[in-house]
Amino acid sequence: MDAAQLDGCVLVTGMPGAGKSTVTALAAGLLPRAARITGDEMNMMLVSGRVGFQCQPADESARQAELCKRNMCSLANNFVDYGFTVLVDTVVANRAELDFMLGLLAPRPVRLVILAPGIDACTYRNLHRNPDDQFFFGGYQQLETDMRRDFADLGWWFDTSALTARETAERLVADAAACCGDHANIKLIPIMPCSRT
């Protein structure tokens, strides 16, 4: 596939440590016109009063998580409307979050890519990255269970456990359009088998 065929919004999710930030940065650099939006960077825009993921008070943490998703989608819409492919890097924990984001991104084309190297790879990668970038998270098993339940028939479940970040980015750019299917005027993305390994 020509990189120019990957258009619209590519929503890249996965568990903490799956490689979302590294892969989306590399993939964006491989495309002719691309923007990258990360949930982490969006959250860092809150200079004071920020309540992190799963922190207290819980209701304010949830409000700020929603604000982050809203801001990411608004920015993605602007870039897509001006002809850029947008790679959005964020954890989408369940179907309700996905539907919320798809509603905000509509009617623009969206592809869902779930980086799925497995829990062991995610925890290993998290422990071996820069201490400032580490995210200690005890809910890997529940998150994987929820994502597999809610996204089982959606998007591209991309097992990246045997790939480097660069190889993953190259495959994402080369294969996401084919592996996520035709995205014209969709609300949900049916899974399409990807023949490449």
Side-chain angles (χ1 to χ4, degrees):
M1 181 201 106
D2 185 300
Q5 291 177 291
L6 187 58
D7 61 352
C9 182
V10 182
L11 181 54
V12 180
T13 192
M15 294 185 291
K20 298 177 299 295
S21 298
T22 304
V23 168
T24 55
L26 291 168
L30 297 172
L31 294 164
R33 288 175 54 86
R36 176 178 168 257
I37 301 168
T38 76
D40 292 340
E41 291 173 1
M42 194 64 58
N43 283 326
M44 294 304 292
M45 296 177 103
L46 295 173
V47 176
S48 62
R50 181 167 26 115
V51 178
F53 175 69
Q54 294 186 333
C55 292
Q56 295 299 323
D59 61 333
E60 183 60 19
S61 177
R63 278 185 75 241
Q64 290 184 21
E66 179 182 325
L67 177 63
C68 178
K69 300 284 195 243
R70 285 182 179 280
N71 287 337
M72 285 190 302
C73 291
S74 293
L75 191 54
N77 289 342
N78 291 336
F79 282 122
V80 170
D81 290 350
Y82 278 80
F84 288 85
T85 300
V86 179
L87 292 118
V88 175
D89 150 16
T90 190
V91 174
V92 181
N94 54 48
R95 185 61 172 268
E97 282 187 21
L98 176 62
D99 288 345
F100 177 71
M101 293 184 76
L102 289 174
L104 293 172
L105 293 164
R108 293 154 194 90
V110 178
R111 291 184 172 93
L112 176 65
V113 177
I114 304 106
L115 299 183
I119 293 172
D120 291 340
C122 289
T123 54
Y124 177 85
R125 291 173 182 178
N126 188 47
L127 288 174
H128 290 88
R129 60 179 158 187
N130 181 320
D132 293 337
D133 297 329
Q134 290 179 347
F135 180 78
F136 294 99
F137 177 65
Y140 280 105
Q141 191 64 53
Q142 186 62 53
L143 181 58
E144 182 178 60
T145 298
D146 292 347
M147 290 176 79
R148 290 202 177 273
R149 178 196 64 228
D150 289 357
F151 307 150
D153 59 344
L154 301 176
W156 176 19
W157 281 86
F158 185 6
D159 180 354
T160 61
S161 59
L163 301 174
T164 66
R166 178 157 299 283
E167 290 168 335
T168 301
E170 289 170 353
R171 283 270 324 269
L172 189 149
V173 169
D175 297 342
C179 292
C180 293
D182 182 11
H183 61 277
N185 299 316
I186 59 149
K187 295 283 186 205
L188 299 173
I189 310 158
I191 193 164
M192 300 295 291
C194 188
S195 60
R196 297 179 72 180
T197 58

